[in-house]
Amino acid sequence: MDDKVKVRVGVLGANGKVGKAICEAVDAAADLELVASVDQGDDIAAFVNSGTEVVVDFTHPDVVMDNLKFLVENGIHAVVGTTGFDDARLATVTEWLDASQGTGVLIAPNFAIGAVLLMRFSEQAARFFDSVEVIELHHPNKADAPSGTAYRTAGLIAEARAKAGVGRSPDATTTELEGSRGADVDGVRVHSIRLAGLVAHQEVLLGTQGETLTIRHDSMDRTSFAPGVLLGVREISKRPGLTVGLDPLLDL
Ligand SMILES: NC(=O)C1=CN([C@@H]2O[C@H](COP(=O)(O)OP(=O)(O)OC[C@H]3O[C@@H](n4cnc5c(N)ncnc54)[C@H](OP(=O)(O)O)[C@@H]3O)[C@@H](O)[C@H]2O)C=CC1
Ligand SMILES: O=C(O)C1=N[C@H](C(=O)O)C[C@H](O)C1
């Protein structure tokens, strides 16, 4: 393929666990060119100097907003896997994008196709069951709890149940050791496991009279995030403004 038509891609967090997998995937893609890799201590201006068109960010919730501000101000599209986005952060990013000239930002809590489908299936199932709880299981080096995926899943479940007029899951607990019932995310209980040997896993447990349904997804390694990220890289320039989640890019 002619070099001129390759999308010029940069990676932020390039030495990290996911960043490394993304650099390899970009290198292996005939239509993409890795033109800048930035990690802790490097100068983010490298993206401007190298003419980067799209930056992929897998860094840390504490730094991702500064990164995004810089990218939007410089008209560079962004595909963001870093977690930590609540409604307030998303609103801030939208404000920045409103003032930009057609820059696109995709923020997705999980780029693995199976995890995207898990979120969709959970949303669809949520109104049919009295009870629903989420368990997310990750490697012990993860900084945030609950995971971005669990946070988003619980939000989607809560929204679907509210729309259908389904109340909170029944729970007679009156005495508890703090934390034993997990975190309350929009009225949905979310439990976080951190265990050596794991990568990224999630279960959504639903129950009603005489039956339960368990929906589970497992990322066995970090290459699972690459196809979704590359899809975002190829599509984001056609989607000015903020896109949340991979769903619209998959026609879901
Ligand atoms: N959406 C998705 O599909 C997925 C999202 N994630 C999320 O992505 C993020 C990263 O995960 P992971 O790769 O496991 O984490 P790692 O800690 O392995 O990698 C993060 C990398 O970013 C670097 N870094 C930190 N601050 C900066 C900065 N200001 N500029 C440039 N680089 C920086 C870190 O350097 P140092 O170590 O020196 O601080 C590190 O090399 C997390 O929020 C995680 O939850 C993870 C998997 C999938
Ligand atoms: O930190 C991780 O590893 C992951 N983070 C994302 C999250 O918080 O949901 C996505 C995936 O679960 C892996």
Side-chain angles (χ1 to χ4, degrees):
M1 184 175 280
D2 188 335
D3 264 6
K4 285 187 196 125
V5 300
K6 289 186 179 185
V7 180
R8 297 174 68 76
V9 183
V11 175
L12 250 172
N15 297 338
K17 290 185 285 299
V18 183
K20 276 185 198 152
I22 300 305
C23 288
E24 282 172 21
V26 171
D27 265 338
D31 59 332
L32 309 177
E33 186 181 3
L34 184 63
V35 293
S37 305
V38 172
D39 204 86
Q40 184 86 267
D42 299 334
D43 188 356
I44 194 171
F47 295 130
V48 177
N49 303 334
S50 58
T52 301
E53 295 166 270
V54 183
V55 165
V56 178
D57 186 308
F58 280 89
T59 55
H60 191 283
D62 291 349
V63 301
V64 67
M65 288 300 279
D66 287 345
N67 293 343
L68 264 179
K69 190 166 192 288
F70 176 87
L71 296 173
V72 174
E73 277 173 1
N74 284 281
I76 300 171
H77 306 296
V79 172
V80 181
T82 306
T83 46
F85 285 90
D86 55 13
D87 288 344
R89 281 190 169 199
L90 294 175
T92 302
V93 176
T94 302
E95 270 174 35
W96 295 337
L97 286 166
D98 286 346
S100 83
Q101 302 286 319
T103 307
V105 171
L106 166 64
I107 299 174
N110 203 310
F111 280 94
I113 306 302
V116 176
L117 291 173
L118 173 146
M119 286 186 259
R120 177 54 62 100
F121 297 156
S122 303
E123 186 182 11
Q124 288 173 336
R127 68 189 167 98
F128 297 106
F129 292 82
D130 292 333
S131 300
V132 56
E133 303 214 1
V134 178
I135 306 175
E136 56 96 340
L137 310 91
H138 281 83
H139 57 93
N141 296 319
K142 185 164 176 56
D144 54 321
S147 70
T149 309
Y151 190 79
R152 172 97 175 138
T153 308
L156 292 171
I157 288 170
E159 217 176 285
R161 285 167 77 86
K163 208 187 275 178
V166 181
R168 288 177 75 110
S169 301
D171 182 356
T173 308
T174 50
T175 318
E176 69 172 305
L177 186 62
E178 196 188 332
S180 55
R181 292 288 295 116
D184 182 331
V185 180
D186 297 342
V188 177
R189 292 286 164 181
V190 178
H191 309 270
S192 297
I193 312 289
R194 297 291 175 264
L195 202 70
L198 294 182
V199 178
H201 317 259
Q202 183 168 291
E203 282 187 4
V204 176
L205 291 81
L206 302 117
T208 196
Q209 182 161 355
E211 60 173 320
T212 66
L213 170 67
T214 303
I215 309 173
R216 180 174 173 117
H217 175 258
D218 298 276
S219 272
M220 307 301 193
D221 70 59
R222 291 174 178 87
T223 59
S224 60
F225 306 116
V229 170
L230 295 202
L231 174 65
V233 166
R234 293 180 176 117
E235 291 295 312
I236 193 59
S237 64
K238 298 171 219 157
R239 295 174 182 269
L242 178 64
T243 303
V244 178
L246 206 54
D247 306 47
L249 281 69
L250 297 170
D251 289 330
L252 279 177

